[in-house]
mmCIF file of all heavy atoms in Angstrom:
data_model
loop_
_atom_site.group_PDB
_atom_site.id
_atom_site.type_symbol
_atom_site.label_atom_id
_atom_site.label_comp_id
_atom_site.label_asym_id
_atom_site.label_seq_id
_atom_site.Cartn_x
_atom_site.Cartn_y
_atom_site.Cartn_z
ATOM 1 N N ALA A 1255 82.012 108.516 100.742
ATOM 2 C CA ALA A 1255 80.723 108.681 100.067
ATOM 3 C C ALA A 1255 80.131 110.052 100.352
ATOM 4 O O ALA A 1255 80.093 110.508 101.498
ATOM 5 C CB ALA A 1255 79.762 107.596 100.525
ATOM 6 N N TYR A 1256 79.664 110.674 99.291
ATOM 7 C CA TYR A 1256 78.992 111.968 99.405
ATOM 8 C C TYR A 1256 77.509 111.700 99.626
ATOM 9 O O TYR A 1256 76.675 111.919 98.765
ATOM 10 C CB TYR A 1256 79.228 112.781 98.126
ATOM 11 C CG TYR A 1256 78.711 114.205 98.173
ATOM 12 C CD1 TYR A 1256 79.347 115.182 98.917
ATOM 13 C CD2 TYR A 1256 77.595 114.570 97.430
ATOM 14 C CE1 TYR A 1256 78.894 116.490 98.939
ATOM 15 C CE2 TYR A 1256 77.132 115.878 97.443
ATOM 16 C CZ TYR A 1256 77.775 116.830 98.195
ATOM 17 O OH TYR A 1256 77.315 118.139 98.203
ATOM 18 N N LYS A 1257 77.193 111.205 100.818
ATOM 19 C CA LYS A 1257 75.802 110.885 101.125
ATOM 20 C C LYS A 1257 75.626 110.760 102.632
ATOM 21 O O LYS A 1257 76.563 110.441 103.365
ATOM 22 C CB LYS A 1257 75.367 109.607 100.426
ATOM 23 C CG LYS A 1257 76.153 108.367 100.801
ATOM 24 C CD LYS A 1257 75.771 107.177 99.921
ATOM 25 C CE LYS A 1257 76.192 107.374 98.484
ATOM 26 N NZ LYS A 1257 75.925 106.197 97.636
ATOM 27 N N PHE A 1258 74.401 111.015 103.068
ATOM 28 C CA PHE A 1258 74.085 110.886 104.487
ATOM 29 C C PHE A 1258 74.072 109.415 104.877
ATOM 30 O O PHE A 1258 73.649 108.555 104.109
ATOM 31 C CB PHE A 1258 72.710 111.499 104.782
ATOM 32 C CG PHE A 1258 72.739 112.996 104.974
ATOM 33 C CD1 PHE A 1258 73.596 113.805 104.236
ATOM 34 C CD2 PHE A 1258 71.902 113.604 105.895
ATOM 35 C CE1 PHE A 1258 73.626 115.179 104.403
ATOM 36 C CE2 PHE A 1258 71.918 114.980 106.078
ATOM 37 C CZ PHE A 1258 72.784 115.774 105.329
ATOM 38 N N LYS A 1259 74.523 109.137 106.110
ATOM 39 C CA LYS A 1259 74.532 107.787 106.640
ATOM 40 C C LYS A 1259 73.494 107.651 107.746
ATOM 41 O O LYS A 1259 73.316 108.559 108.556
ATOM 42 C CB LYS A 1259 75.909 107.446 107.208
ATOM 43 C CG LYS A 1259 77.007 107.317 106.177
ATOM 44 C CD LYS A 1259 78.314 106.957 106.859
ATOM 45 C CE LYS A 1259 79.438 106.785 105.843
ATOM 46 N NZ LYS A 1259 80.726 106.464 106.511
ATOM 47 N N GLN A 1260 72.829 106.520 107.750
ATOM 48 C CA GLN A 1260 71.889 106.229 108.827
ATOM 49 C C GLN A 1260 72.680 106.010 110.116
ATOM 50 O O GLN A 1260 73.773 105.464 110.101
ATOM 51 C CB GLN A 1260 71.068 104.984 108.487
ATOM 52 C CG GLN A 1260 69.738 104.889 109.194
ATOM 53 C CD GLN A 1260 68.864 103.812 108.574
ATOM 54 O OE1 GLN A 1260 69.368 102.886 107.963
ATOM 55 N NE2 GLN A 1260 67.561 103.935 108.735
ATOM 56 N N GLY A 1261 72.131 106.468 111.231
ATOM 57 C CA GLY A 1261 72.828 106.320 112.501
ATOM 58 C C GLY A 1261 73.625 107.547 112.890
ATOM 59 O O GLY A 1261 74.126 107.624 114.017
ATOM 60 N N GLN A 1262 73.772 108.489 111.976
ATOM 61 C CA GLN A 1262 74.413 109.760 112.288
ATOM 62 C C GLN A 1262 73.369 110.860 112.273
ATOM 63 O O GLN A 1262 72.430 110.823 111.464
ATOM 64 C CB GLN A 1262 75.513 110.091 111.277
ATOM 65 C CG GLN A 1262 76.736 109.214 111.364
ATOM 66 C CD GLN A 1262 77.862 109.700 110.447
ATOM 67 O OE1 GLN A 1262 77.619 110.432 109.488
ATOM 68 N NE2 GLN A 1262 79.080 109.293 110.745
ATOM 69 N N THR A 1263 73.528 111.845 113.147
ATOM 70 C CA THR A 1263 72.620 112.994 113.115
ATOM 71 C C THR A 1263 72.905 113.833 111.872
ATOM 72 O O THR A 1263 73.933 113.646 111.201
ATOM 73 C CB THR A 1263 72.814 113.865 114.365
ATOM 74 O OG1 THR A 1263 74.134 114.448 114.318
ATOM 75 C CG2 THR A 1263 72.657 113.056 115.641
ATOM 76 N N VAL A 1264 71.994 114.748 111.581
ATOM 77 C CA VAL A 1264 72.210 115.637 110.442
ATOM 78 C C VAL A 1264 73.498 116.416 110.633
ATOM 79 O O VAL A 1264 74.315 116.545 109.702
ATOM 80 C CB VAL A 1264 71.012 116.595 110.269
ATOM 81 C CG1 VAL A 1264 71.353 117.699 109.264
ATOM 82 C CG2 VAL A 1264 69.780 115.829 109.803
ATOM 83 N N ALA A 1265 73.728 116.956 111.824
ATOM 84 C CA ALA A 1265 74.944 117.726 112.086
ATOM 85 C C ALA A 1265 76.194 116.870 111.891
ATOM 86 O O ALA A 1265 77.185 117.324 111.297
ATOM 87 C CB ALA A 1265 74.907 118.290 113.503
ATOM 88 N N GLN A 1266 76.155 115.631 112.361
ATOM 89 C CA GLN A 1266 77.306 114.741 112.200
ATOM 90 C C GLN A 1266 77.558 114.434 110.727
ATOM 91 O O GLN A 1266 78.713 114.416 110.274
ATOM 92 C CB GLN A 1266 77.079 113.443 112.981
ATOM 93 C CG GLN A 1266 77.174 113.609 114.485
ATOM 94 C CD GLN A 1266 76.707 112.373 115.243
ATOM 95 O OE1 GLN A 1266 75.938 111.547 114.721
ATOM 96 N NE2 GLN A 1266 77.163 112.223 116.470
ATOM 97 N N ASN A 1267 76.496 114.179 109.985
ATOM 98 C CA ASN A 1267 76.640 113.918 108.553
ATOM 99 C C ASN A 1267 77.228 115.119 107.829
ATOM 100 O O ASN A 1267 78.141 114.978 107.004
ATOM 101 C CB ASN A 1267 75.280 113.560 107.944
ATOM 102 C CG ASN A 1267 74.976 112.080 108.008
ATOM 103 O OD1 ASN A 1267 75.696 111.266 107.442
ATOM 104 N ND2 ASN A 1267 73.896 111.721 108.692
ATOM 105 N N VAL A 1268 76.701 116.299 108.121
ATOM 106 C CA VAL A 1268 77.150 117.512 107.432
ATOM 107 C C VAL A 1268 78.630 117.766 107.698
ATOM 108 O O VAL A 1268 79.412 118.025 106.767
ATOM 109 C CB VAL A 1268 76.304 118.726 107.883
ATOM 110 C CG1 VAL A 1268 76.951 120.039 107.432
ATOM 111 C CG2 VAL A 1268 74.895 118.622 107.317
ATOM 112 N N LYS A 1269 79.045 117.674 108.946
ATOM 113 C CA LYS A 1269 80.445 117.933 109.282
ATOM 114 C C LYS A 1269 81.370 116.863 108.705
ATOM 115 O O LYS A 1269 82.470 117.164 108.234
ATOM 116 C CB LYS A 1269 80.609 118.014 110.801
ATOM 117 C CG LYS A 1269 79.979 119.250 111.411
ATOM 118 C CD LYS A 1269 80.247 119.301 112.908
ATOM 119 C CE LYS A 1269 79.653 120.555 113.534
ATOM 120 N NZ LYS A 1269 79.967 120.659 114.974
ATOM 121 N N ARG A 1270 80.922 115.611 108.757
ATOM 122 C CA ARG A 1270 81.742 114.536 108.201
ATOM 123 C C ARG A 1270 81.966 114.726 106.711
ATOM 124 O O ARG A 1270 83.098 114.654 106.215
ATOM 125 C CB ARG A 1270 81.066 113.175 108.444
ATOM 126 C CG ARG A 1270 81.750 112.007 107.700
ATOM 127 C CD ARG A 1270 80.997 110.710 107.890
ATOM 128 N NE ARG A 1270 79.616 110.773 107.449
ATOM 129 C CZ ARG A 1270 79.228 110.671 106.168
ATOM 130 N NH1 ARG A 1270 80.133 110.519 105.205
ATOM 131 N NH2 ARG A 1270 77.947 110.716 105.846
ATOM 132 N N ILE A 1271 80.894 114.995 105.977
ATOM 133 C CA ILE A 1271 80.998 115.111 104.525
ATOM 134 C C ILE A 1271 81.833 116.326 104.138
ATOM 135 O O ILE A 1271 82.687 116.245 103.240
ATOM 136 C CB ILE A 1271 79.591 115.185 103.899
ATOM 137 C CG1 ILE A 1271 78.851 113.862 104.116
ATOM 138 C CG2 ILE A 1271 79.675 115.512 102.413
ATOM 139 C CD1 ILE A 1271 77.377 113.918 103.790
ATOM 140 N N ALA A 1272 81.613 117.463 104.806
ATOM 141 C CA ALA A 1272 82.401 118.655 104.500
ATOM 142 C C ALA A 1272 83.879 118.405 104.753
ATOM 143 O O ALA A 1272 84.741 118.766 103.928
ATOM 144 C CB ALA A 1272 81.902 119.831 105.333
ATOM 145 N N SER A 1273 84.189 117.779 105.867
ATOM 146 C CA SER A 1273 85.585 117.494 106.205
ATOM 147 C C SER A 1273 86.214 116.546 105.196
ATOM 148 O O SER A 1273 87.364 116.729 104.766
ATOM 149 C CB SER A 1273 85.659 116.897 107.609
ATOM 150 O OG SER A 1273 87.001 116.681 107.993
ATOM 151 N N GLU A 1274 85.457 115.536 104.768
ATOM 152 C CA GLU A 1274 85.975 114.573 103.785
ATOM 153 C C GLU A 1274 86.231 115.237 102.440
ATOM 154 O O GLU A 1274 87.251 114.975 101.789
ATOM 155 C CB GLU A 1274 84.982 113.420 103.628
ATOM 156 C CG GLU A 1274 84.931 112.473 104.816
ATOM 157 C CD GLU A 1274 83.866 111.405 104.681
ATOM 158 O OE1 GLU A 1274 83.060 111.468 103.724
ATOM 159 O OE2 GLU A 1274 83.827 110.501 105.536
ATOM 160 N N GLU A 1275 85.308 116.080 101.996
ATOM 161 C CA GLU A 1275 85.486 116.729 100.695
ATOM 162 C C GLU A 1275 86.687 117.666 100.694
ATOM 163 O O GLU A 1275 87.457 117.705 99.725
ATOM 164 C CB GLU A 1275 84.217 117.498 100.312
ATOM 165 C CG GLU A 1275 83.056 116.617 99.919
ATOM 166 C CD GLU A 1275 83.366 115.710 98.747
ATOM 167 O OE1 GLU A 1275 84.160 116.106 97.858
ATOM 168 O OE2 GLU A 1275 82.829 114.591 98.709
ATOM 169 N N LEU A 1276 86.860 118.422 101.762
ATOM 170 C CA LEU A 1276 87.995 119.345 101.822
ATOM 171 C C LEU A 1276 89.311 118.582 101.977
ATOM 172 O O LEU A 1276 90.346 119.003 101.453
ATOM 173 C CB LEU A 1276 87.793 120.338 102.961
ATOM 174 C CG LEU A 1276 86.606 121.291 102.746
ATOM 175 C CD1 LEU A 1276 86.331 122.115 104.002
ATOM 176 C CD2 LEU A 1276 86.846 122.217 101.557
ATOM 177 N N ALA A 1277 89.259 117.429 102.657
ATOM 178 C CA ALA A 1277 90.449 116.585 102.752
ATOM 179 C C ALA A 1277 90.833 116.037 101.372
ATOM 180 O O ALA A 1277 92.021 115.946 101.027
ATOM 181 C CB ALA A 1277 90.207 115.441 103.724
ATOM 182 N N THR A 1278 89.823 115.677 100.587
ATOM 183 C CA THR A 1278 90.078 115.200 99.225
ATOM 184 C C THR A 1278 90.746 116.288 98.389
ATOM 185 O O THR A 1278 91.702 116.024 97.645
ATOM 186 C CB THR A 1278 88.754 114.775 98.554
ATOM 187 O OG1 THR A 1278 88.194 113.677 99.264
ATOM 188 C CG2 THR A 1278 88.981 114.371 97.103
ATOM 189 N N ALA A 1279 90.245 117.509 98.511
ATOM 190 C CA ALA A 1279 90.837 118.625 97.779
ATOM 191 C C ALA A 1279 92.287 118.852 98.207
ATOM 192 O O ALA A 1279 93.173 119.068 97.367
ATOM 193 C CB ALA A 1279 90.014 119.887 98.002
ATOM 194 N N LEU A 1280 92.538 118.785 99.504
ATOM 195 C CA LEU A 1280 93.903 118.968 100.002
ATOM 196 C C LEU A 1280 94.827 117.849 99.530
ATOM 197 O O LEU A 1280 96.010 118.087 99.246
ATOM 198 C CB LEU A 1280 93.885 119.021 101.531
ATOM 199 C CG LEU A 1280 93.441 120.354 102.142
ATOM 200 C CD1 LEU A 1280 93.079 120.185 103.603
ATOM 201 C CD2 LEU A 1280 94.545 121.394 101.976
ATOM 202 N N GLN A 1281 94.297 116.648 99.432
ATOM 203 C CA GLN A 1281 95.105 115.524 98.963
ATOM 204 C C GLN A 1281 95.592 115.763 97.539
ATOM 205 O O GLN A 1281 96.686 115.333 97.171
ATOM 206 C CB GLN A 1281 94.288 114.226 99.038
ATOM 207 C CG GLN A 1281 95.046 112.965 98.656
ATOM 208 C CD GLN A 1281 96.153 112.620 99.636
ATOM 209 O OE1 GLN A 1281 96.187 113.113 100.755
ATOM 210 N NE2 GLN A 1281 97.080 111.764 99.207
ATOM 211 N N CYS A 1282 94.796 116.438 96.751
ATOM 212 C CA CYS A 1282 95.188 116.752 95.371
ATOM 213 C C CYS A 1282 96.363 117.727 95.319
ATOM 214 O O CYS A 1282 97.012 117.864 94.279
ATOM 215 C CB CYS A 1282 94.006 117.351 94.609
ATOM 216 S SG CYS A 1282 92.652 116.206 94.296
ATOM 217 N N LEU A 1283 96.627 118.392 96.441
ATOM 218 C CA LEU A 1283 97.715 119.362 96.508
ATOM 219 C C LEU A 1283 98.857 118.867 97.395
ATOM 220 O O LEU A 1283 99.673 119.654 97.865
ATOM 221 C CB LEU A 1283 97.184 120.701 97.055
ATOM 222 C CG LEU A 1283 96.184 121.422 96.156
ATOM 223 C CD1 LEU A 1283 95.422 122.477 96.955
ATOM 224 C CD2 LEU A 1283 96.878 122.065 94.974
ATOM 225 N N ARG A 1284 98.917 117.565 97.608
ATOM 226 C CA ARG A 1284 99.851 117.002 98.580
ATOM 227 C C ARG A 1284 101.315 117.281 98.224
ATOM 228 O O ARG A 1284 102.163 117.375 99.113
ATOM 229 C CB ARG A 1284 99.635 115.505 98.717
ATOM 230 C CG ARG A 1284 99.862 114.698 97.451
ATOM 231 C CD ARG A 1284 99.468 113.228 97.647
ATOM 232 N NE ARG A 1284 99.676 112.437 96.457
ATOM 233 C CZ ARG A 1284 98.828 112.355 95.442
ATOM 234 N NH1 ARG A 1284 97.703 113.064 95.488
ATOM 235 N NH2 ARG A 1284 99.080 111.599 94.386
ATOM 236 N N ASP A 1285 101.634 117.414 96.916
ATOM 237 C CA ASP A 1285 103.030 117.661 96.548
ATOM 238 C C ASP A 1285 103.390 119.146 96.621
ATOM 239 O O ASP A 1285 104.534 119.523 96.460
ATOM 240 C CB ASP A 1285 103.319 117.124 95.147
ATOM 241 C CG ASP A 1285 102.412 117.733 94.088
ATOM 242 O OD1 ASP A 1285 101.556 118.576 94.442
ATOM 243 O OD2 ASP A 1285 102.562 117.375 92.908
ATOM 244 N N ARG A 1286 102.353 119.984 96.876
ATOM 245 C CA ARG A 1286 102.546 121.439 97.014
ATOM 246 C C ARG A 1286 103.267 122.042 95.799
ATOM 247 O O ARG A 1286 104.085 122.946 95.931
ATOM 248 C CB ARG A 1286 103.324 121.773 98.291
ATOM 249 C CG ARG A 1286 102.640 121.322 99.569
ATOM 250 C CD ARG A 1286 101.271 121.979 99.687
ATOM 251 N NE ARG A 1286 100.483 121.427 100.780
ATOM 252 C CZ ARG A 1286 100.277 122.067 101.936
ATOM 253 N NH1 ARG A 1286 100.782 123.245 102.142
ATOM 254 N NH2 ARG A 1286 99.533 121.514 102.870
ATOM 255 N N ALA A 1287 102.984 121.513 94.618
ATOM 256 C CA ALA A 1287 103.547 122.093 93.402
ATOM 257 C C ALA A 1287 103.043 123.517 93.235
ATOM 258 O O ALA A 1287 101.959 123.875 93.698
ATOM 259 C CB ALA A 1287 103.153 121.244 92.193
ATOM 260 N N ALA A 1288 103.829 124.346 92.564
ATOM 261 C CA ALA A 1288 103.435 125.744 92.368
ATOM 262 C C ALA A 1288 102.137 125.844 91.586
ATOM 263 O O ALA A 1288 101.312 126.720 91.833
ATOM 264 C CB ALA A 1288 104.542 126.508 91.650
ATOM 265 N N VAL A 1289 101.945 124.924 90.621
ATOM 266 C CA VAL A 1289 100.722 124.896 89.820
ATOM 267 C C VAL A 1289 100.102 123.504 89.931
ATOM 268 O O VAL A 1289 100.756 122.511 89.612
ATOM 269 C CB VAL A 1289 101.007 125.202 88.332
ATOM 270 C CG1 VAL A 1289 99.710 125.272 87.552
ATOM 271 C CG2 VAL A 1289 101.782 126.500 88.182
ATOM 272 N N PRO A 1290 98.846 123.395 90.381
ATOM 273 C CA PRO A 1290 98.194 122.079 90.442
ATOM 274 C C PRO A 1290 98.077 121.464 89.054
ATOM 275 O O PRO A 1290 97.878 122.171 88.055
ATOM 276 C CB PRO A 1290 96.809 122.395 91.019
ATOM 277 C CG PRO A 1290 96.925 123.746 91.637
ATOM 278 C CD PRO A 1290 97.965 124.472 90.833
ATOM 279 N N ALA A 1291 98.192 120.143 88.986
ATOM 280 C CA ALA A 1291 97.993 119.456 87.706
ATOM 281 C C ALA A 1291 96.561 119.662 87.231
ATOM 282 O O ALA A 1291 95.655 119.939 88.021
ATOM 283 C CB ALA A 1291 98.278 117.970 87.876
ATOM 284 N N GLU A 1292 96.353 119.538 85.915
ATOM 285 C CA GLU A 1292 95.021 119.779 85.355
ATOM 286 C C GLU A 1292 93.966 118.870 85.985
ATOM 287 O O GLU A 1292 92.854 119.319 86.299
ATOM 288 C CB GLU A 1292 95.052 119.567 83.837
ATOM 289 C CG GLU A 1292 93.777 119.995 83.138
ATOM 290 C CD GLU A 1292 93.917 120.005 81.628
ATOM 291 O OE1 GLU A 1292 95.044 120.181 81.131
ATOM 292 O OE2 GLU A 1292 92.901 119.837 80.939
ATOM 293 N N SER A 1293 94.310 117.603 86.197
ATOM 294 C CA SER A 1293 93.358 116.684 86.830
ATOM 295 C C SER A 1293 93.074 117.108 88.270
ATOM 296 O O SER A 1293 91.955 116.956 88.764
ATOM 297 C CB SER A 1293 93.903 115.259 86.799
ATOM 298 O OG SER A 1293 95.159 115.188 87.466
ATOM 299 N N SER A 1294 94.077 117.647 88.951
ATOM 300 C CA SER A 1294 93.891 118.107 90.320
ATOM 301 C C SER A 1294 92.981 119.327 90.374
ATOM 302 O O SER A 1294 92.153 119.454 91.275
ATOM 303 C CB SER A 1294 95.243 118.437 90.958
ATOM 304 O OG SER A 1294 96.037 117.275 91.099
ATOM 305 N N VAL A 1295 93.148 120.230 89.426
ATOM 306 C CA VAL A 1295 92.285 121.414 89.365
ATOM 307 C C VAL A 1295 90.829 120.990 89.286
ATOM 308 O O VAL A 1295 89.966 121.529 89.994
ATOM 309 C CB VAL A 1295 92.656 122.305 88.159
ATOM 310 C CG1 VAL A 1295 91.584 123.377 87.920
ATOM 311 C CG2 VAL A 1295 94.000 122.967 88.381
ATOM 312 N N HIS A 1296 90.551 120.014 88.448
ATOM 313 C CA HIS A 1296 89.171 119.528 88.301
ATOM 314 C C HIS A 1296 88.660 118.942 89.614
ATOM 315 O O HIS A 1296 87.529 119.256 90.037
ATOM 316 C CB HIS A 1296 89.127 118.469 87.197
ATOM 317 C CG HIS A 1296 87.800 117.794 87.061
ATOM 318 N ND1 HIS A 1296 86.689 118.433 86.539
ATOM 319 C CD2 HIS A 1296 87.386 116.539 87.409
ATOM 320 C CE1 HIS A 1296 85.650 117.606 86.565
ATOM 321 N NE2 HIS A 1296 86.049 116.457 87.082
ATOM 322 N N GLU A 1297 89.454 118.114 90.261
ATOM 323 C CA GLU A 1297 89.003 117.465 91.497
ATOM 324 C C GLU A 1297 88.848 118.463 92.637
ATOM 325 O O GLU A 1297 87.910 118.361 93.442
ATOM 326 C CB GLU A 1297 89.989 116.361 91.891
ATOM 327 C CG GLU A 1297 89.993 115.163 90.957
ATOM 328 C CD GLU A 1297 88.625 114.500 90.845
ATOM 329 O OE1 GLU A 1297 87.941 114.368 91.882
ATOM 330 O OE2 GLU A 1297 88.239 114.128 89.736
ATOM 331 N N ILE A 1298 89.743 119.422 92.727
ATOM 332 C CA ILE A 1298 89.653 120.430 93.785
ATOM 333 C C ILE A 1298 88.391 121.260 93.615
ATOM 334 O O ILE A 1298 87.647 121.488 94.575
ATOM 335 C CB ILE A 1298 90.899 121.342 93.767
ATOM 336 C CG1 ILE A 1298 92.150 120.543 94.127
ATOM 337 C CG2 ILE A 1298 90.720 122.503 94.753
ATOM 338 C CD1 ILE A 1298 93.442 121.254 93.775
#
């Protein structure tokens, strides 16, 4: 979820969300193809 969670500090929320979003982008490149698929480009 791209949202702050109760029970986490602002710093914890910020780092968690940033890490999750960049992990999602990396997942779109998991096959390491020379050219990302069009759907992957959008998600990244």
Side-chain angles (χ1 to χ4, degrees):
Y1256 186 73
K1257 60 187 67 176
F1258 277 36
K1259 292 181 179 179
Q1260 203 167 24
Q1262 290 187 339
T1263 66
V1264 169
Q1266 288 170 338
N1267 271 299
V1268 167
K1269 290 183 179 183
R1270 171 184 58 80
I1271 294 168
S1273 183
E1274 288 176 353
E1275 288 301 328
L1276 294 172
T1278 297
L1280 281 164
Q1281 184 67 17
C1282 292
L1283 294 163
R1284 62 186 180 277
D1285 58 0
R1286 300 301 171 105
V1289 184
E1292 189 170 333
S1293 58
S1294 295
V1295 168
H1296 174 72
E1297 291 302 319
I1298 294 164

